[in-house]
Every structure is written in structure tokens, then in C-alpha cells.
Amino acid sequence: MGGGFGGGMGGGMSGGMGNIPGTAYGGATDPSMLNLKEGFRIIPTITAAERYDSNVFLVPKTRGIDRSDYVSTLAPRIRGLYAGSGMQLNALVGAISEYYVKNTNFNYVGANAGLALNLGPMLDRVWKGMQFTISDTFSYSPQPPAFLVGDQTTSTTNQAGSTSNLLVNGMQVGRANSTSNTLSTTLTAPVSQRVSLTGSYTRGFIRFGTSEVQQIGVLLDTSYQTFTAGVNTLLSPQDTLTLSYIDTNFSYGQTGGSFTTRGGTLAWAHLFSPNVSLYSRAGVLVINGGVLGSSSTSTTSPAGISGNSTNSSTIAPTGGLGLTWRDQTTSLFLNYGVSITPSYQFAAQPLLTNTVSFSVAQVMPNPDFIGLASVNYARGDEIGSSSTNSISYSSYGGSGGALYKFTQKSFLNLNYQFTKYDSQFGAQGFSVARHLVMLSFSQAFY
């Protein structure tokens, strides 16, 4: 049994299977997440869980409504792994079904999928040292998350202070059917032993369908796409400096409104050891446009939202700091970021968002036990608008638990989570709290 996480907690695209963005605790809680060195594997997995949920509605406390429930979950999925001389692939597709004891009308079947593809080994034959990665995540669920709990997505090609998904930024909406997808590509092309050209493209969206509860504000279909281009300089074997240009466009479905951000960043990456690394990034963005609108706080209809855009420009900071520690027994990730994100509740507006995330998975002296903990915090404030119905929110959450490995294929996980979301729209304030206690069992077949 025991012996670290999937052949060691380090890795990443260059040293084994790359993680799909949003993978909790670097894959430590998933028995299908093998560190395949060579070959092809198809691994079916099934997870069964029982939980107590204090707020299945994901709404503020309301007189006459019992928001708590007991929920049974069944989640089958199939993971495909390939490692060869030309590429490395980690792909996952799955379904999730939930049964509610009190609110049987909430019973549903959802779906999720993701991939991480590294074509660097193939392109290296054409252009020495070239790296090209593709990642994608898809989700259909009536429970849009505020945070990616336990997310440890980072690599030398990522921007410090960034998140796996700009649309998962601490904002919590009420229970509503939602479809989301985020596609990302990154490219590194060396032009000398010390200098490389870098670029990336990301496209993401979230779309809302039927709302199963009374929302505290309208929900807005939102999409974005980001281009980056830069120069990467290797200062020493441990230090890398990257100068980048960033161009992002955000757009809203119901209003037809949009805003853009353009700017530059300077990033520094330092490798303390093969297991410990630090990423930092700082820069400025110029925000153009913005949708000045108002919304009703009692309906999900887009009526009353204006699609008029302003022509003013606003300057805002962007950047962050990230620390990663990965070895055979510890996977630790600490990240702070400040960025511009879109509001997809209340009104279509750019928000200046600060986020902090921390997660750790630690193998215990008995290597069959793994301790898990994570903390998330976010604050968003409307920027560049004179609207009296300004938007702001703050949210935080914590999670802790323990995982026991009966075998390398059979995991038992006991977990507790708490989240608190406070939002402000004009003079109106809302508060949503949620407690979860969950026991889950996962079995992989290989």
C-alpha cells in the first residue's frame, strides 16, 4: 500500500502525466490518477458518497425554507492515459447523479470532462526545446462552485497569481443549471539557449439555464478570451524572467455588452530545489468599456439590464505570488492573485478581484493515510463605474479531511467543508453560508 501519491507527488507535464486544471490536491484523492511513464491505459472509476448539506439551495437564510438535506451521490468516470515518444495525454469523462432525501425535485444527472495534452516531445523534433500544451475542462451542473477546492494547478508556463478558471473567482450564485467550459493552450519556442518566445490562448464561458430557486440577482451568460505573447529569459538555472503582453475580451450574452483589458506583466520564477518553486508576477491593465446596467434582485430575467458601454478607460493592477512544494509525501500550493474578472450576477461589470488559495495534501507516518486541507478567500469590487448599484462581494471557505487507502485502487475519504459568501448590490446585502460533511468511497479498475 502506501508510498506516496501515484508514484510521487511531483511531476507535471515534463515529468509525467500532466494534471487537468482544477484537479484537487494534485490528483491525490483520485485512485485513477497514475503517473504513467509509457504506454496507454483506460481506467474506469466509480465514486459513491453520502453527505449532509446545510444549504442545498445555495441561497441566504429564508423564513419557512429548510435549506438542509441529505444527499447520495454516484459518479462513474473513465480516465485515459497515454505516454509516448511524441506526446502525453491525460483525459477524463464522467457523469454525476445525486439523490436528495427532502428535496427530491433537486435530483439530477450532470456531466464533466477534461484533458491535459502535451505535444512538446513531438515538436521538439522539429524545433529543439519547443513546448506546446492544451488543456480543457467542461462541466454541466446545477451547483456552480465558488472555488476550485484543493486546486493546485501551476507550472513554469502559468502566470503566477492566475487561476485555472477566471469564471470561478469566489462568486456564488444560487442553485441553477449551468454549463461551463475553459480551453487553454500554451506555447514556448526557444530562440537561443537563454531566450524563448512564449504565447498562450484561453477561451472560457459559463451559461445559465433553468434556476431551481429564487436568485438574489440576475444571472448573466458570460464568456472571455485571452491572448498573451512574451519573451522568456533564463537568467540562471534557477531563475527565469518573463515579459508579457496580455489582451482579454469579456462579453455578456443577454446584454450584448463587453469590456476589454490590455496591459503588460513582468514575471519572475525561482527554483529553490527540484521540489520547491516560487512564481511572482506584477503588471498593469487598461480597462476599456464596461456595461452600466441595473438588475432586479428578485428574478433571473435579464429585463432591466442595459447593454450600453462606456468609452472611458481605467487602469488597474494585476499580478500575484505563488509557492509550490511537491515531493514524495507533500503537495502544497499557496497562491495570491489580483486580476480583473467579470461579474455574472446582478449586473454586467468588471470587478477588481483579490484571491488567496492554500491547499496541502500530506502523507502521514502510516503511508495509507493522507491529510487534506485547503483555504480559499476572494474579494471583488466593481471598478470603473459611476453606477449607484455598485457590486461587491467577499467569500471564504475552508476544507479539511483525511483519506485512507485500502489499496492503490480503493480510497475512503472523510471531508468537511465550510463556505461563506457575502455580496452587496447597491444598498442591498446578502449572505450565504454552507456546511458540508461528506464520506466518499472511490474504486478504480485496472
Side-chain angles (χ1 to χ4, degrees), residues 10 90 205 325:
N90 177 4
F205 69 80
W325 181 321

Side-chain angles (χ1 to χ4, degrees), residues 330-404:
T330 304
S331 178
L332 181 148
F333 182 61
L334 175 64
N335 188 72
Y336 164 75
V338 57
S339 58
I340 299 299
T341 64
S343 169
Y344 48 81
Q345 189 179 43
F346 300 118
Q349 290 289 352
L351 304 176
L352 179 65
T353 305
N354 289 267
T355 60
V356 178
S357 61
F358 168 80
S359 67
V360 61
Q362 177 65 52
V363 176
M364 298 299 159
N366 179 344
D368 296 326
F369 280 97
I370 300 174
L372 306 168
S374 70
V375 177
N376 295 93
Y377 171 81
R379 179 176 179 85
D381 295 283
E382 184 174 330
I383 188 171
S385 171
S386 59
S387 171
T388 57
N389 291 329
S390 62
I391 303 167
S392 65
Y393 73 87
S394 64
S395 57
Y396 58 89
S399 174
L403 181 143
Y404 178 72

Side-chain angles (χ1 to χ4, degrees), residues 45-240:
T45 306
I46 189 165
T47 297
E50 294 288 337
R51 80 172 185 267
Y52 166 76
D53 192 329
S54 71
N55 190 352
V56 295
F57 290 75
L58 302 177
V59 296
K61 186 176 181 179
T62 305
R63 181 178 298 179
I65 296 180
D66 181 6
R67 301 176 298 165
S68 66
D69 210 332
Y70 297 91
V71 186
S72 300
T73 304
L74 192 64
R77 57 193 181 275
I78 297 177
R79 185 183 298 275
L81 300 172
Y82 175 78
S85 60
M87 69 176 190
Q88 297 163 339
L89 172 67
N90 177 4
L92 181 72
V93 61
I96 180 170
S97 60
E98 292 200 333
Y99 173 78
Y100 293 74
V101 173
K102 300 178 184 178
N103 300 277
T104 56
N105 58 310
F106 282 1
N107 298 347
Y108 77 95
V109 176
N112 54 76
L115 69 84
L117 175 64
N118 178 19
L119 297 175
M122 180 187 304
L123 297 176
D124 182 68
R125 302 168 187 171
V126 179
W127 188 317
K128 187 65 175 178
M130 178 176 285
Q131 300 177 31
F132 183 66
T133 64
I134 303 172
S135 65
D136 188 77
T137 57
F138 169 84
S139 174
Y140 170 74
S141 172
Q143 303 180 85
F147 297 109
L148 297 175
V149 176
D151 182 25
Q152 296 188 342
T153 303
T154 187
S155 73
T156 56
T157 58
N158 281 357
Q159 297 282 0
S162 65
T163 62
S164 299
N165 189 336
L166 284 176
L167 299 175
V168 185
N169 53 21
M171 182 171 284
Q172 180 66 68
V173 304
R175 190 181 184 91
N177 291 332
S178 66
T179 303
S180 62
N181 191 86
T182 302
L183 169 70
S184 297
T185 64
T186 64
L187 173 68
T188 301
V191 294
S192 72
Q193 290 186 341
R194 292 186 174 273
V195 179
S196 300
L197 302 179
T198 65
S200 69
Y201 172 74
T202 302
R203 185 179 184 89
F205 69 80
I206 185 168
R207 297 169 184 160
F208 296 100
T210 304
S211 178
E212 298 177 308
V213 299
Q214 186 81 1
Q215 298 289 336
I216 61 177
V218 296
L219 304 181
L220 305 171
D221 295 346
T222 307
S223 62
Y224 74 95
Q225 57 180 345
T226 299
F227 302 88
T228 71
V231 178
N232 181 302
T233 303
L234 184 65
L235 302 179
S236 73
Q238 294 79 32
D239 297 279
T240 304

Side-chain angles (χ1 to χ4, degrees), residues 14-49:
S14 61
M17 286 294 100
N19 279 339
I20 297 169
T23 299
Y25 301 104
T29 60
D30 189 341
S32 71
M33 188 55 205
L34 304 182
N35 193 3
L36 190 66
K37 298 296 185 181
E38 187 177 5
F40 176 68
R41 299 290 292 269
I42 295 291
I43 306 175
T45 306
I46 189 165
T47 297

Side-chain angles (χ1 to χ4, degrees), residues 5 27 44 52 100 125 129-130 141 150 206 254 262 269 280 284-285 311 324 340 356 361 402-403 420 425:
F5 297 163
Y52 166 76
Y100 293 74
R125 302 168 187 171
M130 178 176 285
S141 172
I206 185 168
Q254 292 95 325
R262 296 183 176 92
S280 61
V284 294
L285 297 174
N311 294 318
T324 302
I340 299 299
V356 178
L403 181 143
K420 180 72 179 300
F425 180 55

